[in-house]
Each structure stands twice: as C-alpha cells, then as structure tokens.
Amino acid sequence: MTTISASTRDSGVVTWRNLMNVRRQPDLLLGATLQPIMFVLLFAFVFGNSIGNDPDAYREFLMGGIFAQTVAFNSAYTTIGMAADLEKGVIDRFRSLPMSRAAVLVGRTTSDLVVSALGLLVMSVCGLLVGWRIRGSVVDAVIGYAMLLLFSFAMSWIGAWIGMLSGNVQVAQSAGFIWMFPVTFISSAFVSASSMPGPLKVFAEWNPVTAVADAARELFGNERPGVLAARPESWPAQHAVLFAIVSCVAILVIFTPIAVAKYRKVASK
Amino acid sequence: MPPPASSIAVRAEALVKTFGSTRALDGVDLEIPAGTVLGLLGPNGAGKTTTVRILTTLLRPDSGRAFVAGHDVVADPDAVRRSIGLSGQYAAVDEHLTGYENLYMVGRLYGKNRTDAAARARELLARFRLQDSADRPAKTYSGGMRRRLDLAGALVAEPAVVVLDEPTTGLDPRGRLDTWEVIGELVADGATVLLTTQYLEEADQLADKIFVIDHGKVIADGTADQLKAQVGGERLEIVVGEPGELAAVAQVLSEVGSDEPVTEDHQRRVHVKVDTGPKALVEALRRLDQQSVTVLDVALHRPTLDDVFLSLTGHSAEDEPTAEPEGKSKGRKAKSR
Ligand SMILES: Nc1ncnc2c1ncn2[C@@H]1O[C@H](COP(=O)(O)OP(=O)(O)OP(=O)(O)O)[C@@H](O)[C@H]1O
Ligand SMILES: [Mg+2]
C-alpha cells in the first residue's frame, strides 16, 4: 500500500474512533451546540436592541461575527480532546503502532470538523429563528459555509498543538479557551474596529476572525446596518473573502508541521 | 559496527536517560536471544518502564543505542514498530469503545483489512475470556479485564517481539495464570518477550533469563538458578515444640551448617545456611532424634529471588527504594486500577 493511502486509512480509523467517542458521550456535543445557541440569543436580544435604531439589521450583522467566533472556538475542543488522549495513554498506544505519524492529528481535526459542522447547522437554524437570512446567491452561501469550515479546521490545528503543550486535561481546559477571548473579541466580529485604541485597532483589522466574520456577511449577503455602514479602509476589510482564505491557508501551512513535530516528541507524562 | 546477529532479537547498549536531575537509566545493557523471555525485575522507580519506552520508540535515549528485531530504535522507529507489540504499564484502552472495537481499531492501524482485523479481534477476545463483554464499552470493564484487553492489543499483529510492562499487576490469580499461559504460548510460537515485573515469582516462572535492575543500572543477570546460586546454598529450617529446646537445635545446626544459625524465638524456629542440602538435613534430624528433641516442622529452602534481591540491593523487592520520592508512581498506579 502506498504511503498516502495508508495515511488516509489510518486517519480514517482515528476519525471513526473519535466520532464513536462522541456518539457514546453525547454531552461532548453540548459545548459545540448549546454555546452557539446561547450566543445567538444573547447577542440578538441583549446587544441587538442596544445599538443603532435598526435592531433587525444589527441582529443580521451580528450573525457573521457569531459564526466566526463559534468556529474559532473549535480549536479549544481540539485542545481538550488531544490532552485527554495524551492523559489516558491512548496516544502511547498509537505511537507504538506502525501507523502514519500525522494520522492521530488528522483524525482529531477531522472529527472535530464534523462536530463543528453540526454546530454551524444548529446555529444557522437558530439564526433563522431570530430573523437572519441568506440573501445572496446559493453559490456564495456554499462558499461561505466552506470558508467557515476551513477556518474551523485551521483553528483546530492550532488547538491540537496547544493540547500537546498542555499535556493534561486540566491545563488544556484553561489553555484552550483563554487565548480565544482576546482573539475573538479584539476583532470586528461584533463592533467596529474603528472605535478601538491604536494597537488594538491594527490587531483587529488584521485579525483573521474579523476577516472571516466580514467574509461570512458578504457571502451570505447580509447588509451592514446604518451605524456600521462604512467599511474600514484597511486592506483586509476591503478584501475580506480573499484575506480570510489566505489566513486559513497560512495557519495550516504554519501549524500543521509544528503540530506534527510536537506529536512526534510528546510523551504522555 | 555490523547489524546485530539475527539470533539476537533485542539489544540495548549503554542506555542513558535523565529526567531533570533524575538519572532514570544509567547505562543499561541487555540482550534477548530470539524466542526467549527476558524478565526485567526491579522495584518502583528502578527504570523498567523507561527501558521499555526506549525500546518501543516512545522515548529517545540521551545516549546509548538499541536494536529491536535488527532495527535501530532511533534511526528506524517505523521498522521497530512493525516488529513489536506493546502493552504498557497503564492499560491504554479507549474507554468509550467496546472491547471488540478497541482490538479492531488496533488491527486496522497495523494495516490489516476490515475482515482480518475483525476476525483477529474476535479470536483474541475469546482467548482472553472477554467474549461475553466484547460489545460493552471498556469503561464498564473491571481493572483486570482492561489489563487483559490491553494485553490482547499487544498481540493483534502477532509481532516478533512482545513487550509487556508489568502485565500481571492488578490481575487476580486466575488472570495471572491466564497471562502466564498466554506468554508461554507466545514463546512456543517463536516470539521473543520482554517482560517487566516486580514479582520475583513471576520472573522465576516465566523468564529464561532475568535482569535485575535498580537505580537505572543492571545489577545482576542470569537464569533464576544462577542468581540463586550467587546468594549461596540452601537454608535448613527447623521448628520445635518447646522454647527450651531451641538451644539444642542451634547447637546441632551450627555443627551441620556452613554459617552461624539464626534463632527466631517467637516462631520457635532456627535456621542456618547449608552447603550440602539433603545430607545436612538428614544428619541434623538424626542428631536431634538422639537428643529426643520434638521436631514439629522441617524444611529445606532454596533461596528465593527475594533473597537474591535482598542480598544484591540491601532492600527487599517489595520495599520502596528509600531515596525515591514515590508519590508519582504510587498515585498513577492507584488510578489505573
Ligand atoms: N517523564 C518523566 N519525568 C520525570 N521523571 C521521570 C519520568 N519518567 C520516569 N521518571 C523517573 O525515572 C525513574 C525511573 O522510572 P521508571 O518509570 O522507569 O521506573 P519503573 O521501574 O518502571 O517503576 P515502577 O515499578 O514504579 O513502574 C523514576 O525515578 C521516575 O520518577
Ligand atoms: Mg514502570
């Protein structure tokens, strides 16, 4: 068997194993599904009514941000999943087998992608209930969902690396989430970056989360509400879809090898 | 250097591994002829697991070299992994998969196709008496069942070299006997086995050759008999009915023994080292009979590996090494039960 098809088979086996784990502990899905529901409702009714004089438009604007934030959080689930496998010694078993080195990571990020897709579905339904609509073309919408999944997958690789750095579930539970908050909030997922102080503004403008949120709005045909109508001047904001996809690819190019190298070294202690 | 001769299945040369200031391995050499069982015997913290992890490519040595089935563990870990099956000290089963699914997964990852992986999984489940629980998630298994499932995982691909880190720790007597039997069958089928244990009896039963390890160093090696011979001859033990008779017994034993007899007042027992075994026993009994001493019990003990251990290390195998802070190993062991 060629190396590529052997790696694919190994990755498939690990994905299957992870999804069986999810099936047998459905509570693992709570985070991935309840959290987006909560965010949609909170943002729609707490913030939605507080900004501008057109709550419906702001609600629709927020959805892109919530999509981006939710898929970014996929990284934290990967962190915890990786750390749990390390802690339980399952990784030791895998590492003593003549299997592809990347398969455990590919399997983990793939199964987390499936869970993330489920979260997207739940969130979309929830969004429809609070008045969000896809107003663009079907092709654009498909590209929009594909881009969100690509971002989820890319973030998952960063998460896998952090999971191996943390080594146990307890550390992973903080390490996996803690960096998510600045990354998702110092963005224009929910507010405009132009009101932020200097360095934060630059960070927000070049933050992939901003680009993914803006790109989702663009691809789903969601108009910016009156108060936020002016698109920032920055290059990423002007080319949101392109910048979002380039960021995802860049994250993958950087973090796939780092994570695989780390995997080769980690011991489960 | 030429690759090791094919009749040597595992060879380690001067393995050193340090963790911070702990010198876990301090120059370990060992060699396992193909088709034999090597027992690596040592107390907590001796370096058994570290040796196992290096030989199974989970850990890189700081220095030294090791070959498994002719492959260098550092330079060619993939080839090593294709030749080995490992059952680690802490059962690494996936709790949420069933016993069957665990073994099926391992089979697939060894490169078996679906049919072969499924057939092999069922076969091993039966061999380890797990067929009735095969389709229950492993989290419902007892500690001993998990241990057996993990052991089965090591055998999925019928590897040439099987490495078992404390395979019987936590098993009940039946489970232990079953495991011994499986190890016997493995060797009969031509496999080479590296087995670590803290049980002297186990090494004595199973191993063709025993390496005693302590503080990261091999402090003795040989067959069980050779090691026992190192400690010296046998021990003659006599128990009498009346405490008043102990002095007479001690007198007789000092005449037939090769060393000063030891009197244990509480047990009304006297024992002494003897070189001539049965001859000394007959002679002692004859003399005691002449003096009309009532002998309640008499025994001739060959030295146990425990005696070997005591004389080599100054502490019994079951004792914690005094210098070792052992919270860690204790805690983890408790968890794996
Ligand atoms: N990852 C690690 N980090 C730090 N110290 C370690 C690590 N692994 C092992 N050690 C230390 O190395 C020494 C040897 O440990 P090892 O696990 O090889 O012992 P062992 O003979 O298997 O003991 P046990 O019978 O308790 O399983 C111990 O002092 C242990 O604390
Ligand atoms: Mg150990």
Side-chain angles (χ1 to χ4, degrees):
Chain A
M1 199 182 287
T2 66
T3 321
I4 303 243
S5 71
S7 307
T8 313
R9 182 206 54 216
D10 291 348
S11 306
V13 172
V14 177
T15 307
W16 165 80
R17 173 253 167 184
N18 294 342
L19 291 175
M20 289 305 279
N21 265 268
V22 173
R23 210 173 99 183
R24 303 250 161 83
Q25 333 164 63
D27 48 313
L28 286 183
L29 287 177
L30 284 185
T33 53
L34 274 191
Q35 179 180 309
I37 295 178
M38 206 172 69
F39 274 140
V40 171
L41 297 180
L42 281 179
F43 279 100
F45 297 109
V46 177
F47 294 145
N49 295 334
S50 69
I51 298 182
N53 47 14
D54 186 358
D56 288 341
Y58 186 59
R59 236 173 253 158
E60 185 148 306
F61 170 80
L62 280 177
M63 277 304 288
I66 302 171
F67 277 130
Q69 185 192 39
T70 304
V71 293
F73 267 88
N74 184 33
S75 132
Y77 300 113
T78 307
T79 299
I80 293 169
M82 249 355 254
D85 278 355
L86 275 177
E87 196 175 308
K88 282 186 279 178
V90 179
I91 299 282
D92 263 5
R93 162 66 82 202
F94 286 145
R95 285 178 71 244
S96 73
L97 295 175
M99 60 189 280
S100 145
R101 296 294 87 187
V104 171
L105 294 168
V106 175
R108 168 61 58 191
T109 50
T110 307
S111 60
D112 282 344
L113 181 64
V114 173
V115 173
S116 186
L118 192 69
L120 265 184
L121 178 71
V122 171
M123 199 171 14
S124 300
V125 171
C126 205
L128 290 172
L129 294 177
V130 300
W132 168 76
R133 293 288 177 273
I134 293 176
R135 300 184 198 279
S137 72
V138 175
V139 175
D140 277 355
V142 170
I143 297 175
Y145 278 110
M147 177 209 60
L148 287 168
L149 290 174
L150 178 66
F151 184 55
S152 175
F153 187 66
M155 291 299 282
S156 197
W157 279 90
I158 305 182
W161 176 63
I162 295 175
M164 288 182 285
L165 288 181
S166 14
N168 70 62
V169 177
Q170 220 162 5
V171 176
Q173 255 151 2
S174 347
F177 282 104
I178 205 83
W179 68 283
M180 288 281 74
F181 291 102
V183 165
T184 55
F185 283 100
I186 308 176
S187 74
S188 45
F190 309 112
V191 293
S192 164
S194 47
S195 57
M196 297 180 189
L200 289 192
K201 179 167 173 250
V202 175
F203 182 88
E205 280 173 356
W206 290 87
N207 186 346
V209 175
T210 299
V212 170
D214 281 345
R217 288 172 190 131
E218 199 175 309
L219 292 164
F220 293 140
N222 301 146
E223 296 276 319
R224 302 175 72 86
V227 281
L228 299 170
R231 250 195 201 223
E233 294 295 305
S234 66
W235 190 89
Q238 297 295 324
H239 306 84
V241 177
L242 177 64
F243 185 67
I245 291 172
V246 169
S247 313
C248 294
V249 173
I251 291 172
L252 284 171
V253 167
I254 296 168
F255 282 93
T256 315
I258 294 183
V260 173
K262 182 70 191 162
Y263 176 78
R264 286 169 186 270
K265 272 192 247 146
V266 283
S268 75
K269 295 190 177 179
Chain B
M1 206 197 117
S6 61
S7 61
I8 298 299
V10 177
R11 174 145 99 203
E13 294 167 5
L15 293 179
V16 173
K17 181 75 195 179
T18 51
F19 297 105
S21 60
T22 310
R23 224 170 155 75
L25 295 187
D26 195 8
V28 166
D29 294 290
L30 54 83
E31 211 171 74
I32 317 181
T36 67
V37 181
L38 180 133
L40 195 59
L41 179 67
N44 287 144
K48 302 181 296 293
T49 299
T50 306
T51 307
V52 161
R53 290 175 65 83
I54 290 175
L55 293 176
T56 54
T57 76
L58 298 181
L59 209 60
R60 275 168 164 264
D62 296 342
S63 66
R65 308 199 301 168
F67 300 89
V68 174
H71 309 291
D72 187 318
V73 294
V74 174
D76 198 0
D78 280 321
V80 171
R81 294 184 190 114
R82 276 192 289 276
S83 322
I84 59 167
L86 166 67
S87 170
Q89 182 168 0
Y90 308 101
V93 303
D94 188 319
E95 304 216 301
H96 299 283
L97 296 188
T98 65
Y100 167 78
E101 286 164 349
N102 265 288
L103 295 181
Y104 172 80
M105 173 179 78
V106 172
R108 293 284 287 150
L109 293 174
Y110 267 111
K112 288 182 185 294
N113 66 31
R114 289 192 175 82
T115 326
D116 291 352
R120 183 68 179 150
R122 291 286 174 205
E123 184 186 331
L124 284 167
L125 287 163
R127 184 153 161 201
F128 285 88
R129 293 187 294 114
L130 290 168
Q131 67 273 44
D132 296 335
S133 331
D135 298 312
R136 267 182 12 216
K139 70 161 187 251
T140 66
Y141 286 18
S142 71
M145 290 163 78
R146 281 180 210 210
R147 203 77 194 79
R148 300 208 300 274
L149 182 61
D150 192 63
L151 186 57
L155 308 185
V156 165
E158 301 172 78
V161 177
V162 179
V163 181
L164 309 173
D165 197 359
E166 301 197 19
T168 62
T169 300
L171 293 189
D172 61 14
R174 166 105 195 258
R176 182 166 301 172
L177 285 176
D178 279 355
T179 303
W180 288 7
E181 196 183 314
V182 168
I183 294 171
E185 290 168 21
L186 284 175
V187 174
D189 292 345
T192 306
V193 179
L194 168 62
L195 159 98
T196 79
T197 183
Q198 299 184 39
Y199 302 111
L200 306 155
E201 183 198 0
E202 184 162 286
D204 199 355
Q205 279 279 332
L206 296 174
D208 297 300
K209 215 168 165 199
I210 297 169
F211 277 58
V212 183
I213 180 172
D214 198 25
H215 298 296
K217 282 198 170 91
V218 175
I219 52 175
D221 68 87
T223 62
D225 287 335
Q226 284 168 347
L227 290 179
K228 287 172 185 171
Q230 275 188 19
V231 194
E234 292 143 303
R235 198 155 42 89
L236 174 59
E237 210 176 84
I238 287 178
V239 181
V240 291
E242 296 298 326
E245 295 172 326
L246 285 171
V249 176
Q251 176 59 35
V252 167
L253 290 192
S254 76
E255 289 159 22
V256 303
S258 60
D259 205 349
E260 280 304 296
V262 178
T263 305
E264 292 165 321
D265 293 308
H266 264 325
Q267 287 95 355
R268 295 192 307 281
R269 179 164 65 194
V270 187
H271 61 85
V272 71
K273 262 191 182 170
V274 292
D275 290 331
T276 51
K279 225 170 128 194
L281 179 129
V282 172
E283 182 60 22
L285 287 181
R286 198 179 56 78
R287 293 193 198 183
L288 289 172
D289 192 43
Q290 277 174 359
Q291 299 180 27
S292 313
V293 172
T294 16
V295 173
L296 285 188
D297 195 8
V298 57
L300 193 58
H301 286 292
R302 306 209 52 208
T304 64
L305 275 171
D306 219 348
D307 298 327
V308 175
F309 212 89
L310 203 57
S311 80
L312 285 171
T313 65
H315 56 83
S316 153
E318 267 100 43
D319 288 351
E320 297 295 341
T322 39
E324 224 51 73
E326 39 81 307
K328 188 180 175 195
S329 49
K330 264 283 173 65
R332 301 185 61 220
K333 196 154 289 176
K335 206 177 71 182
S336 75
R337 294 265 156 89

